[in-house]
Amino acid sequence: MQFQQTELTRQVAQIAHDFAEQAIRPHVMEWDESQFFPRDVFHRLGELGLMGVLVPEEYGGAGMGYAEYKAAIIEVAKVCGSVGLSLAAHNSLCTGHILAFGNETQKKQWLPRLAAGQAIGAWGLTEANTGSDASNMQCTAVRDGNDWILNGAKNWITHGISGDIAVVITRTGEPRAKNNATAFVVERGTPGFQAGKKENKLGMRASETAEMIFDQCRIPDANRLGEVGDGFHQSMKILDGGRISIAALSIGIAKGAYEAALTYAQQREQFGKPIAQFQAIAFKLADMATEIEAADLLTDQAAARKQAHLSVTKEAAMAKYYASEVCVKVANEAVQIFGGYGYTKDFPVEKFYRDAKLCTIGEGTSEIQKLVIARSIQR
């Protein structure tokens, strides 16, 4: 596949870059220190079309493709991983799930608000005791006439407090049984739906992560996405796209750390010359640049296949696995290049270092990605 960047992709990247520099960079550390979720930023991103990049224009979206989506996430994440993560979760998970599996009425009901940034999206699959073991979830939905009653909790949910529209995957069958999960849309304000504990995280601190709790939460059957029992299958399809998002997020964080380290190495002098001229530092920078490029190409491949509606499970897992591990490595090396300064909050690589680690965990750990890849190559 050829991955030549189009003029549209360049324009989207520039729009995202300019917005990140003007509206996000001045506040990055302030938001990080206080764990402040900048809701207004996402309203403004919606005005730019970046909260519904993949949503067709008929539903109020920008109607663009995965290349543009990837470019937008990278440019935002180069400045702030937290905002990049929230942008990715909103687009690929909640909005993406409704777009992929909602009927016409559901799409018209929820997508325009999500695409405009008027509503923030959340997506609930993970639970306290069922991270990778999602088929054993304890959050249940029981049918009662034309309604469903939800009980249980979801953990580690991006926008678990601030999300206005949540896609929630619940168990509607026996634990670990085949086809035992169903997806529903639940709006904030529905009786029995409330936010729980907000996590105090190492990194990505301005991207809100919290519990969603359901206590006798009654919703109509009209809020069901797809067929009863199809929720887990739907979730795996959504995670394929979500892994492309995390790969792009990883590339953005890695590029931000690399560019900061390169600039510093060219300016910082020791023994009468810039440290970038010493082989020990030059080789670090060479490895960083090469591995970012490789991660970028893997992600381009996955994005192109997704755009072409081809199978992408293996390619998305490869891109997410490799890009996230590269992200951690590059951020670590960036701190090393900065030396003692890199360990302080006065320089940007300290935050890139903390943010990077989430990329190897969220939307399937590196170990899960290797499992997915291993299964794919042995079929």
Side-chain angles (χ1 to χ4, degrees):
M1 287 185 169
Q2 297 297 313
F3 310 126
Q4 189 170 2
Q5 196 174 57
T6 66
E7 182 59 30
L8 176 60
T9 306
R10 284 189 287 270
Q11 288 175 359
V12 170
Q14 189 64 52
I15 289 169
H17 169 83
D18 292 347
F19 180 84
E21 291 294 335
Q22 295 164 14
I24 300 173
R25 189 178 292 281
H27 309 288
V28 166
M29 291 311 296
E30 169 196 344
W31 295 342
D32 181 77
E33 292 284 338
S34 63
Q35 297 195 80
F36 175 73
F37 177 64
R39 188 182 182 99
D40 181 63
V41 164
F42 296 96
H43 293 326
R44 295 169 66 186
L45 284 166
E47 292 171 355
L48 294 174
L50 299 182
M51 294 290 275
V53 181
L54 302 169
V55 176
E57 292 181 24
E58 64 189 288
Y59 305 120
M64 293 185 284
Y66 267 82
E68 290 73 41
Y69 175 51
K70 168 179 172 282
I73 292 176
I74 288 174
E75 291 301 324
V76 171
K78 279 168 63 176
V79 173
C80 180
S82 293
V83 178
L85 173 61
S86 281
L87 181 65
H90 171 93
N91 271 281
S92 68
L93 299 181
C94 176
T95 305
H97 200 136
I98 296 170
L99 178 62
F101 297 105
N103 58 40
E104 195 66 16
T105 299
Q106 292 168 333
K107 290 178 184 178
K108 289 178 178 177
Q109 181 177 355
W110 290 304
L111 289 179
R113 280 189 288 154
L114 289 164
Q118 296 169 353
I120 303 294
W123 191 75
L125 176 65
T126 303
E127 297 180 8
N129 296 313
T130 56
S132 299
D133 186 16
S135 65
N136 192 36
M137 67 182 73
Q138 300 304 304
C139 184
T140 61
V142 176
R143 189 150 198 169
D144 182 24
N146 289 324
D147 294 339
W148 292 83
I149 300 174
L150 278 57
N151 282 288
K154 295 293 180 178
N155 297 67
W156 293 100
I157 307 305
T158 303
H159 313 144
I161 296 171
S162 297
D164 303 290
I165 297 170
V167 172
V168 184
I169 295 85
T170 65
R171 182 164 57 80
T172 49
E174 294 300 314
R176 293 203 176 94
K178 189 176 182 181
N179 302 324
N180 73 340
T182 305
F184 299 91
V185 177
V186 187
E187 293 202 46
R188 188 70 62 180
T190 302
F193 174 29
Q194 62 184 20
K197 176 189 174 185
K198 180 178 179 180
E199 303 296 343
N200 186 7
K201 299 175 295 182
L202 168 72
M204 302 290 196
R205 289 168 61 81
S207 178
E208 178 188 279
T209 305
E211 287 180 305
M212 295 192 303
I213 300 171
F214 304 91
D215 182 9
Q216 294 296 112
C217 178
R218 182 180 291 269
I219 57 172
D221 186 58
N223 286 33
R224 172 171 48 83
L225 294 171
E227 299 301 320
V228 173
D230 200 34
F232 188 72
H233 171 74
Q234 292 177 15
S235 297
M236 294 304 100
K237 293 292 184 182
I238 295 303
L239 284 172
D240 282 345
R243 286 165 182 164
I244 297 171
S245 300
I246 300 300
L249 177 70
S250 301
I251 293 164
I253 293 170
K255 283 187 174 183
Y258 163 73
E259 290 173 7
L262 177 61
T263 299
Y264 179 80
Q266 291 171 331
Q267 295 174 348
R268 169 73 166 171
E269 291 192 1
Q270 294 283 271
F271 307 103
K273 62 180 180 180
I275 64 171
Q277 294 182 18
F278 291 98
Q279 189 178 77
I281 301 301
F283 279 14
K284 284 183 185 296
L285 292 166
D287 283 341
M288 293 157 79
T290 301
E291 290 173 2
I292 289 170
E293 191 79 8
D296 208 4
L297 287 169
L298 273 174
T299 308
D300 277 338
Q301 174 183 246
R305 289 184 63 87
K306 181 71 174 174
Q307 187 64 36
H309 305 291
L310 299 172
S311 172
V312 76
T313 299
K314 179 187 75 173
E315 290 78 10
M318 285 180 168
K320 194 272 185 187
Y321 166 55
Y322 186 74
S324 64
E325 294 291 340
V326 164
C327 179
V328 171
K329 181 179 177 182
V330 167
N332 180 62
E333 292 287 46
V335 171
Q336 196 70 18
I337 289 169
F338 270 79
Y341 290 120
Y343 204 64
T344 72
K345 293 182 182 293
D346 295 326
F347 291 83
V349 292
E350 178 269 347
K351 182 176 182 295
F352 286 126
Y353 182 75
R354 287 186 291 108
D355 286 350
K357 187 57 191 171
L358 183 277
C359 297
T360 69
I361 300 170
E363 307 216 18
T365 63
S366 291
E367 291 73 21
I368 288 294
Q369 304 313 313
K370 287 193 277 190
L371 182 62
V372 171
I373 295 163
R375 286 173 175 171
S376 296
I377 62 178
Q378 294 180 51
R379 285 175 181 167

